[in-house]
Amino acid sequence: MLLSLEKCTVATGPTRGRWPSGVEMERFADEADVVIVGGGPAGLAAAIRLKQLANKHEKELRVCLVEKASQIGAHTLSGACLEPSALTELIPDWKERGAPLNTPVTEDVFSILTEKHRIPVPILPGLPMQNHGNYIIRMGNLVHWLGEQAEELGVELYPGYAAAEVLFHEDGSVKGIATNDVGIAKDGSPKDVFERGMELHAKVTLFGEGCHGHLAKQLYKKFNLRENCEPQTYAIGLKEVWMIDEKKWRPGRVEHSVGWPLDRNTYGGSFLYHLNEGEPLVALGFVVGLDYTNPYLSPFREFQRWKHHPFVAPTLEGGQRIAYGARALNEGGFQSIPKLTFPGGLLIGCSPGFMNVPKIKGTHTAMKSGMLAAEAIFPKVTAENLDSETAGLHIPEYAENLKNSWVWKELYAVRNIRPSFHNYFGLYGGMIYTGIFYWILRGKEPWTFKHCGTDASQLKPAKECTPIEYPKPDGKISFDLLSSVALSGTNHEGDQPPHLTLKDDSIPVAKNLAIYDGPEQRFCPAGVYEYVPVETGDGMRLQINAQNCVHCKTCDIKDPSQNINWVVPEGGGGPAYNGL
Amino acid sequence: MSGRVLVGVKRVIDYAVKIRVKPDNTGVVTDGVKHSMNPFCEIAVEEAVKLKEKKLIKEVVAVSCGPQQSQETIRTALAMGADRGIHVEVSGKDYENLGPLQVSKILAALAKKEDAQLILLGKQAIDDDCNQTGQMTAALLDWPQGTFASEVSLEGDKINLVREIDGGLEHIKINTPAVVTADLRLNTPRYATLPNIMKAKKKKIATMKPADLGVDLTSRLEVLKVEEPPQRQAGMKVETVEDLVGKLKEAGRI
């Protein structure tokens, strides 16, 4: 192992001036051929494909993957109805190998909900939300299984270690990553157990951090990757898993709804899937587009009150909630795909964002992007005498191959559906557009709608909006926020600098609270943000309960002042999702 | 003196996870649930590694009894500084019935086999809270025991120990070989950093079965039922003392 003296880059925040001399600041460095940041479907698919190619061509290839969750799959959350296309391309014998795809979709139901009633909507073949041939899965279990396949092939997996910093060669190309320093106290000073993170150098680094990755955020700026695309737009997805009464259990049944409790101008809807894995489990959840305008809206409370709808509550009555979690997801689609490659690295999966929004599926495209990345990288990293302009390899072939693949065609075809909601009729305008233009033209219309700008800029001032009266949770079907957060199993080492950093400490009270009535109190699905009275005198202050964070990234996306900057906490911290 | 220390490490459900009882009430759900090293075992490993760094002992051997995944726990101990590991394979029904008596028998057999000078354990595991393994191991070996240690120092062939007891702090001196169990304030465990995890992959973990050590795993305990604690009922406010007495009589308490 090499030793490397690098500047100490601690999480941003009030830390300088407390660093005593005599603290060991050197970092160990190690070399791999390829380093992958993120152990989700994209990262693991890339790792597996790289090793498959290495074994086939009998070449040595060191592939290292770092993942901030304590175990592979612990930060994974998704609906999910998986389209198995990419998985079958990657591992054709996935069934014999025991991949956890146990629930083929048998029933597919789509509804528009009103406060008391339900309008069924027929799912005509060809509409994106049709799920024939797909599987209801617990994504965390699939990711865990992919991790086992990767390890068998010789990928070095390092869960519990977060990539905190991108490293650069002198020529500006990406050199690799460094994991975070550990043992820093809340005030920023080093504790006795302080140790610097480690550097992993690679010829190419793949960034697969999932939706709104924090390193990707830095890379967009550094390499200007977003100059020719629309800003990404997002939604927040909240999910619960319930053990229900066996009499209500209909394995293989998929239910989606739009409408109540959201108004026609707020994008979002629900899902409820009946799993078939031996126990009467259902996975259910609610998605709210983060371009909502009312700062009084609380996605968590919309989710809780939706469960009381006469069409939903009977399924849950007599059941027991056993899991909860939340995560932001991409809604920008085709228009928001950035430049994908830069010297020394490339972006895969939901990080750049390949989600098919009307299908609400992004896993098959994420995996395919990982596989295409591997296929483009392999010849270059194993070449004997490669002529490269930069120290870190540039692999533009990845982006070209992606453009020629089914991923591009699929995303292009549905590109106008989500933006079509931005019209006076909101939801209904969007559905009419989908029915006419998508079903008939399959996205061949020559125009491409634009999005409306960033999600953060959509909030209206509080005084222009009406507070929403949410019902109290009843403790049987709906629940309060803190007991939900406890179910996510989330935890962080208490004595560390909060990883939800503020660029300017005065803005939360001066702007977020004053103009928008503190929307972060409502959009955070984990109760991280609270405005509390100051101890002495008048006024409020923002209290950040960083330990509750479930790493959903919503605050970084939706903060109207864009003042909150999510950085990665000590590796291993965060939720402990089990098969979500 | 061999200068060898055996450290027992147990793989338990992570302390931050919400425990769920299995629908058939035979135990708690463990499938896919986040596990980690028992916090008191981490403290024991840290103490052993500190003793080695002070050159007071020569070798730290991490031991765990359990299924295949226990090897991950041993790897963490290796990354913290243990030299090698021993995985005693116990799985299935045997693992469900594994308790302090069987583990102490295994540790006692290993201590003899490895010619250990000191056995360091956590004071208790956070899943069963038994607080028995250290004490039973010492009894089986007829060794002195220093439990609930908040300070440990070696002095020749003796150990000075400070124990946290109900009445305060107790200072004792015991002979080696001995069994010591770690309490919370003994030390702050170091992080298992990534370079050390990579190095740990090269360190050896020997595997064996309890039968290889001549240990019989039959349990003398049978778990009849596992239930969630009763739901907390809402309290009730009363206006006067008479009301309070009346309500207590109604509830049959007085």
Side-chain angles (χ1 to χ4, degrees):
Chain A
M1 286 198 185
L2 312 171
L3 285 179
S4 158
L5 263 167
E6 294 279 348
K7 267 195 347 282
C8 175
T9 49
V10 185
T12 58
T15 65
R16 303 294 92 72
R18 290 194 182 84
W19 219 257
S21 56
V23 177
E24 184 57 63
M25 294 307 274
E26 284 185 32
R27 276 198 291 219
F28 278 130
D30 203 1
E31 307 280 328
D33 293 297
V34 181
V35 163
I36 301 176
V37 176
L44 289 167
I48 290 172
R49 182 54 111 211
L50 277 169
K51 276 304 210 176
Q52 285 174 340
L53 288 167
N55 293 341
K56 178 166 162 200
H57 295 274
E58 290 176 348
K59 297 247 172 161
E60 293 275 328
L61 195 70
R62 186 175 184 202
V63 179
C64 291
L65 187 151
V66 287
E67 160 60 46
K68 62 175 164 59
S70 56
Q71 55 192 49
I72 303 280
H75 286 186
T76 301
L77 183 143
S78 183
C81 276
L82 180 78
E83 212 181 274
S85 52
L87 179 63
T88 310
E89 273 188 49
L90 181 68
I91 302 176
D93 56 344
W94 54 257
K95 195 165 186 163
E96 288 78 34
R97 287 173 174 271
L101 274 67
N102 303 310
T103 312
V105 175
T106 53
E107 263 186 278
D108 209 348
V109 171
F110 194 88
S111 327
I112 301 178
L113 297 181
T114 63
E115 193 177 340
K116 298 224 171 26
H117 303 286
R118 166 193 169 242
I119 307 165
V121 174
I123 305 177
L124 304 166
L127 277 178
M129 46 287 293
Q130 204 217 359
N131 271 301
H132 183 71
N134 297 334
Y135 291 81
I136 303 172
I137 61 164
R138 300 175 70 173
M139 188 70 71
N141 290 346
L142 176 65
V143 167
H144 187 86
W145 177 85
L146 284 171
E148 289 173 346
Q149 304 308 304
E151 269 198 318
E152 257 179 57
L153 287 167
V155 176
E156 288 176 51
L157 291 180
Y158 296 113
Y161 296 96
E165 190 189 334
V166 183
L167 303 169
F168 297 96
H169 289 286
E170 272 180 26
D171 64 10
S173 60
V174 170
K175 186 175 169 186
I177 53 104
T179 58
N180 56 354
D181 300 337
V182 291
I184 301 173
K186 233 185 175 120
D187 65 2
S189 58
K191 299 191 278 198
D192 285 333
V193 286
F194 171 77
E195 294 232 28
R196 289 227 69 195
M198 172 179 170
E199 297 189 9
L200 271 173
H201 301 163
K203 299 177 186 148
V204 187
T205 308
L206 279 67
F207 293 87
E209 298 170 284
C211 175
H212 204 77
H214 79 109
L215 292 181
K217 199 173 163 184
Q218 297 172 27
L219 291 166
Y220 292 148
K221 271 213 197 91
K222 167 105 183 168
F223 292 106
N224 246 334
L225 301 172
R226 298 207 76 96
E227 60 186 344
N228 290 322
C229 67
E230 300 240 11
Q232 184 65 262
T233 63
Y234 303 87
I236 179 176
L238 302 105
K239 178 176 173 181
E240 289 174 357
V241 177
W242 282 63
M243 182 93 83
I244 57 171
D245 185 340
E246 260 193 74
K247 299 193 231 33
K248 323 264 173 96
W249 186 34
R250 299 164 74 163
R253 181 177 164 90
V254 162
E255 293 176 21
H256 290 114
S257 81
V258 291
W260 190 87
L262 299 175
D263 64 37
R264 66 166 196 263
N265 289 317
T266 306
Y267 185 83
S270 76
F271 65 88
L272 197 153
Y273 306 147
H274 292 246
L275 287 153
N276 191 2
E277 299 186 351
E279 297 179 299
L281 288 181
V282 295
L284 63 147
F286 206 77
V287 173
V288 178
L290 285 178
D291 56 349
Y292 68 82
T293 55
N294 185 345
Y296 292 108
L297 192 144
S298 161
F300 173 79
R301 302 192 80 172
E302 299 289 352
F303 175 32
Q304 297 303 317
R305 75 168 163 173
W306 162 77
K307 286 187 281 174
H308 284 286
H309 189 277
F311 184 60
V312 184
T315 308
L316 301 177
E317 265 148 26
Q320 194 202 4
R321 183 175 73 153
I322 63 172
Y324 166 82
R327 182 75 171 90
L329 47 136
N330 301 306
E331 299 247 308
F334 185 81
Q335 294 89 321
S336 303
I337 300 176
K339 188 154 178 293
L340 297 168
T341 67
F342 41 90
L346 43 86
L347 302 168
I348 55 175
C350 276
S351 180
F354 302 116
M355 170 111 134
N356 180 327
V357 181
K359 262 193 198 175
I360 34 168
K361 289 178 182 22
T363 309
H364 60 308
T365 47
M367 288 178 71
K368 181 67 177 173
S369 73
M371 291 151 67
L372 288 169
E375 286 154 13
I377 293 171
F378 183 74
K380 285 192 156 173
V381 291
T382 50
E384 292 293 326
N385 293 307
L386 187 70
D387 225 343
S388 174
E389 274 180 22
T390 50
L393 299 180
H394 191 197
I395 321 270
E397 293 82 354
Y398 159 59
E400 284 156 37
N401 295 349
L402 196 70
K403 290 195 176 101
N404 292 327
S405 72
W406 53 258
V407 173
W408 214 254
K409 288 189 196 52
E410 189 177 317
L411 294 179
Y412 185 76
V414 299
R415 72 196 181 289
N416 284 327
I417 295 183
R418 174 66 173 93
S420 70
F421 279 69
H422 298 301
N423 64 77
Y424 178 72
F425 297 105
L427 167 69
Y428 303 109
M431 293 185 75
I432 294 169
Y433 183 91
T434 307
I436 298 175
F437 287 97
Y438 182 77
W439 193 56
I440 299 174
L441 291 176
R442 300 299 159 97
K444 292 196 181 62
E445 64 268 32
W447 55 83
T448 299
F449 290 149
K450 283 190 171 343
H451 298 309
C452 287
T454 63
D455 290 332
S457 59
Q458 304 298 322
L459 271 186
K460 294 204 182 105
K463 62 178 191 298
E464 289 174 29
C465 303
T466 347
I468 304 178
E469 278 281 326
Y470 289 106
K472 269 183 118 120
D474 73 344
K476 296 204 199 61
I477 301 222
S478 52
F479 301 90
D480 67 297
L481 187 58
L482 289 180
S483 65
S484 309
V485 176
L487 262 188
S488 70
T490 193
N491 197 26
H492 296 86
E493 160 61 46
D495 193 12
Q496 68 172 304
H499 64 281
L500 299 137
T501 65
L502 301 174
K503 293 183 198 158
D504 179 336
D505 284 331
S506 62
I507 288 191
V509 174
K511 193 169 166 209
N512 286 29
L513 186 61
I515 305 178
Y516 302 100
D517 197 45
E520 55 270 60
Q521 303 171 91
R522 298 187 194 90
F523 61 55
C524 173
V528 170
Y529 301 100
E530 280 183 290
Y531 281 97
V532 295
V534 292
E535 276 83 22
T536 49
D538 286 326
M540 306 286 270
R541 66 175 178 86
L542 177 64
Q543 176 164 287
I544 299 182
N545 305 314
Q547 273 184 282
N548 289 8
C549 179
V550 293
H551 299 205
C552 76
K553 314 296 176 64
T554 301
C555 56
D556 197 303
I557 294 166
K558 187 60 174 171
D559 177 10
S561 322
Q562 286 293 280
N563 190 32
I564 299 173
N565 190 34
W566 191 99
V567 300
V568 74
E570 277 181 14
Y577 296 145
N578 181 8
L580 245 64
Chain B
M1 274 284 120
S2 68
R4 188 170 295 126
V5 174
L6 274 188
V7 184
V9 295
K10 187 178 181 186
R11 178 177 181 263
V12 297
I13 295 182
D14 186 86
Y15 71 93
V17 167
K18 204 125 206 303
I19 305 289
R20 191 162 61 93
V21 175
K22 282 199 236 177
D24 61 5
N25 291 103
T26 56
V28 301
V29 176
T30 54
D31 254 349
V33 174
K34 178 179 175 185
H35 283 66
S36 37
M37 190 190 290
N38 182 39
F40 295 109
C41 299
E42 281 183 348
I43 296 174
V45 174
E46 175 63 26
E47 198 59 26
V49 174
K50 273 195 162 76
L51 287 173
K52 192 177 99 163
E53 285 171 345
K54 288 188 200 146
K55 302 218 196 307
L56 294 168
I57 55 151
K58 296 210 194 77
E59 194 188 24
V60 178
V61 183
V63 181
S64 192
C65 307
Q68 182 64 22
Q69 297 97 317
S70 294
Q71 295 211 4
E72 289 161 23
T73 314
I74 299 176
R75 286 259 176 251
T76 308
L78 294 173
M80 287 171 73
D83 298 293
R84 60 183 166 90
I86 299 177
H87 172 211
V88 182
E89 273 186 286
V90 183
S91 48
K93 208 82 193 103
D94 281 336
Y95 182 57
E96 280 171 43
N97 291 331
L98 193 68
L101 183 58
Q102 297 95 321
V103 173
S104 349
K105 287 182 182 172
I106 292 172
L107 289 175
L110 276 173
K112 293 204 189 105
K113 185 167 183 272
E114 296 283 338
D115 189 24
Q117 177 188 349
L118 176 61
I119 300 182
L120 265 169
L121 306 172
K123 70 170 178 179
Q124 67 197 55
I126 61 170
D127 51 8
D128 53 25
D129 280 327
C130 281
N131 192 337
Q132 297 164 2
T133 306
Q135 294 87 332
M136 285 179 171
T137 310
L140 287 170
L141 289 165
D142 198 24
W143 286 6
Q145 58 180 262
T147 54
F148 309 104
S150 65
E151 253 181 70
V152 170
S153 56
L154 266 53
E155 202 186 287
D157 62 346
K158 298 206 197 301
I159 303 181
N160 286 321
L161 241 128
V162 180
R163 301 180 60 227
E164 293 201 12
I165 60 172
D166 289 341
L169 296 173
E170 186 187 47
H171 297 250
I172 62 172
K173 190 187 257 178
I174 56 178
N175 293 328
T176 55
V179 176
V180 171
T181 74
D183 206 327
L184 190 64
R185 280 160 277 269
L186 180 56
N187 61 48
T188 307
R190 66 196 62 192
Y191 286 84
T193 57
L194 185 53
N196 288 333
I197 285 273
M198 288 180 169
K199 282 187 210 152
K201 290 208 170 169
K202 301 198 181 90
K203 293 184 184 174
K204 288 207 170 13
I205 300 181
T207 51
M208 56 185 74
K209 295 227 180 320
D212 300 335
L213 297 164
V215 171
D216 167 25
L217 288 180
T218 333
S219 175
R220 280 122 169 94
L221 301 172
E222 188 195 332
V223 173
L224 298 174
K225 193 176 185 193
V226 178
E227 300 181 316
E228 294 215 355
Q231 288 279 18
R232 192 158 175 221
Q233 298 298 328
M236 215 190 317
K237 277 189 172 160
V238 290
E239 300 291 308
T240 67
V241 175
E242 287 77 25
D243 278 346
L244 177 61
V245 174
K247 286 256 181 312
L248 286 171
K249 282 196 173 145
E250 251 178 68
R253 302 289 189 193
I254 50 171

